[in-house]
């Protein structure tokens, strides 16, 4: 069956006096190929496909394609992007906080410095939650119990010891005046299992992403003790920040953003940044963002690099204190 090119389709539509909407106008960027370091259905996959959806539907990008490349804790995709750098100026790799953590842990030899940081685009703050029927009414009560006898305060997470959930719990307790090494962390191999452990009473509290926490709070399954944001979030104005609750300085965001290959030209990087900035003001992005419960944290270029360097220093210091480095 013969296919008609995009150029031919536009020509036909013009001849017939038809409108193709935003797609009939020249896009700011012809195409983006999104490289995803994990499998379908995960957070990286959802971020790349949701971003591509908004960019193309808004007419900012002509077309988007996607490639899932699991392996090596994300290291396989990083190595691939470096290898094809000379011919990959149309490729953006999605990533998040684990690129910092796993680089520190030497899961793979590269770091964000081996790529071209383009922009951080969305984030998910962390939260500490308890079951709706828990006797722990607020964070102050949890912190008091922890400082009194940390062996009786078990905090779970949906990942292994030394991972993001563990680090966040340690950061919050340290900021509240406790010893981060005293955190009795109980690892689960998935968020759903960790939540089951909380609701069954296996653990006293759960360290998790705020997006997941707010959904469960709306279902009246949990009570959120605090969120690691610098200020209260509009979506949950009654939830205090961890700083307000007594853990001053306990701020953390699991950012997600995009990296180009090493050697990406300044012109192309700026074009990507301009496209992301423009995307935020579109109804197409708002629909995607709202559907996924994402928080906008646009952080382009050198600001993104500075943020990554600061996070690496903070997380690295805490991981050393906990004995994971």
């Amino acid at each position: 069956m013969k296919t008609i090119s995009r150029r031919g389709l536009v020509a036909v539509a013009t001849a017939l006096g038809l409108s193709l909407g935003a797609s009939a106008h020249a896009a700011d960027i012809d195409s983006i190929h999104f490289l995803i370091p994990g499998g379908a259905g995960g957070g990286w996959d959802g971020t790349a496909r949701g971003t591509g959806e908004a960019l193309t539907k808004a007419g900012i990008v002509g077309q988007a394609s996607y490639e899932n490349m699991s392996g090596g804790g994300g290291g396989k995709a990083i190595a691939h992007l470096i290898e094809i750098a000379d011919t990959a100026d149309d490729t953006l790799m999605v990533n998040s906080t684990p690129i910092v953590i796993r680089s520190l842990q030497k899961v793979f030899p590269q770091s964000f410095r081996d790529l071209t940081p383009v922009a951080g685009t969305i984030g998910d703050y962390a939260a500490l939650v308890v079951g709706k029927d828990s006797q722990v009414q607020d964070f102050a009560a949890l912190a008091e119990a922890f400082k009194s006898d940390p062996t009786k305060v078990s905090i779970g997470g949906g990942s292994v010891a030394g991972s993001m959930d563990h680090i966040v719990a340690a950061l919050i307790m340290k900021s509240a005046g406790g010893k981060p090494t005293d955190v009795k962390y109980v690892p689960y191999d998935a968020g759903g299992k960790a939540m089951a452990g909380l609701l069954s009473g296996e653990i006293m509290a759960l360290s998790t992403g705020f997006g997941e926490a707010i959904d469960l709070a709306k279902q009246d399954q949990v009570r959120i003790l605090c969120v690691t944001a610098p200020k209260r979030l509009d979506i949950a104005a009654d939830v205090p920040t961890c700083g307000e609750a007594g853990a001053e300085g306990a701020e953390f965001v699991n950012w997600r953003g995009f990296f180009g290959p090493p050697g990406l030209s300044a012109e192309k990087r700026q074009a990507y940044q301009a496209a992301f900035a423009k995307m935020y003001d579109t109804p197409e992005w708002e629909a995607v963002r709202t559907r996924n419960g994402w928080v906008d944290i646009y952080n382009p270029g050198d600001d993104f690099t500075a943020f990554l360097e600061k996070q690496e220093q903070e997380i690295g210091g805490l991981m050393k204190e906990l004995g994971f480095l």
Side-chain angles (χ1 to χ4, degrees):
M1 180 177 179
K2 185 176 180 180
T3 59
I4 300 175
S5 68
R6 175 179 169 79
R7 182 178 298 174
L9 183 61
V10 172
V12 170
T14 302
L16 296 176
L18 301 176
S19 171
L20 295 179
S23 62
H25 302 286
D28 297 0
I29 295 175
D30 290 337
S31 65
I32 296 179
H33 180 66
F34 288 100
L35 180 61
I36 304 164
W44 286 332
D45 186 69
T47 300
R49 292 178 189 275
T51 301
E53 174 189 334
L55 286 169
T56 53
K57 285 186 175 180
I60 299 170
V61 171
Q63 59 183 6
S65 57
Y66 310 89
E67 180 181 4
N68 292 87
M69 186 176 290
S70 302
K76 182 178 179 179
I78 296 172
H80 175 72
L81 186 57
I82 293 171
E83 183 179 352
I84 65 169
D86 291 344
T87 58
D89 67 347
D90 66 339
T91 300
L92 289 180
M93 183 186 70
V94 63
N95 221 292
S96 58
T97 306
I99 195 175
V100 174
I101 296 175
R102 291 168 184 168
S103 175
L104 287 168
Q105 293 172 325
K106 306 300 182 185
V107 173
F108 42 73
Q110 305 91 351
S111 76
F112 61 84
R113 294 178 180 82
D114 296 296
L115 305 169
T116 301
V118 173
T121 55
I122 60 170
D124 186 16
Y125 294 106
L128 276 184
V129 305
V130 294
K132 65 174 183 177
D133 298 324
S134 172
Q135 294 182 355
V136 177
Q137 294 297 311
D138 52 29
F139 176 74
L142 184 71
E144 182 179 350
F146 178 78
K147 286 184 279 189
S148 176
D149 187 354
T151 65
K152 294 183 178 179
V153 179
S154 54
I155 302 176
S159 46
V160 299
S163 64
M164 194 163 57
D165 289 341
H166 188 176
I167 291 169
V168 166
L171 171 65
I172 293 172
M173 288 310 182
K174 178 183 179 181
S175 300
K179 293 182 179 180
T181 52
D182 285 344
V183 170
K184 184 181 178 181
Y185 179 77
V186 180
Y188 293 85
D189 62 9
K193 292 182 179 180
M195 182 56 59
L198 177 69
L199 299 180
S200 68
E202 289 179 2
I203 52 177
M204 184 178 291
L206 177 66
S207 172
T208 187
F210 179 75
E212 181 179 357
I214 191 64
D215 284 343
L216 293 166
K218 289 178 179 178
Q219 297 169 27
D220 197 30
Q221 294 188 52
V222 304
R223 184 165 58 254
I224 304 175
L225 301 183
C226 70
V227 58
T228 60
K231 61 181 181 179
R232 295 197 182 201
L233 304 177
D234 293 340
I235 194 173
D238 58 330
V239 175
T241 68
C242 291
E244 289 177 320
E248 186 175 353
E251 296 182 10
F252 177 87
V253 61
N254 179 23
W255 58 269
R256 291 180 192 152
F258 295 92
F259 296 81
L264 183 70
S265 70
E267 181 181 8
K268 197 61 183 280
R269 183 168 82 151
Q270 290 167 4
Y272 285 135
Q273 291 165 352
F276 288 133
K278 187 174 181 179
M279 175 187 74
Y280 284 112
D281 293 327
T282 67
E284 289 83 3
W285 171 251
E286 185 59 23
V288 171
R289 188 198 67 78
T290 302
R291 184 177 74 218
N292 290 281
W294 293 337
V295 175
D296 290 339
I297 58 160
Y298 185 52
N299 200 14
D302 292 342
D303 289 342
F304 187 30
T305 300
F307 170 83
L308 293 169
E309 291 172 343
K310 181 180 179 183
Q311 186 180 62
E312 182 183 60
Q313 183 178 16
E314 292 175 345
I315 289 179
L318 191 55
M319 290 177 73
K320 287 179 181 177
E321 193 171 351
L322 291 169
F324 291 113
L325 290 181

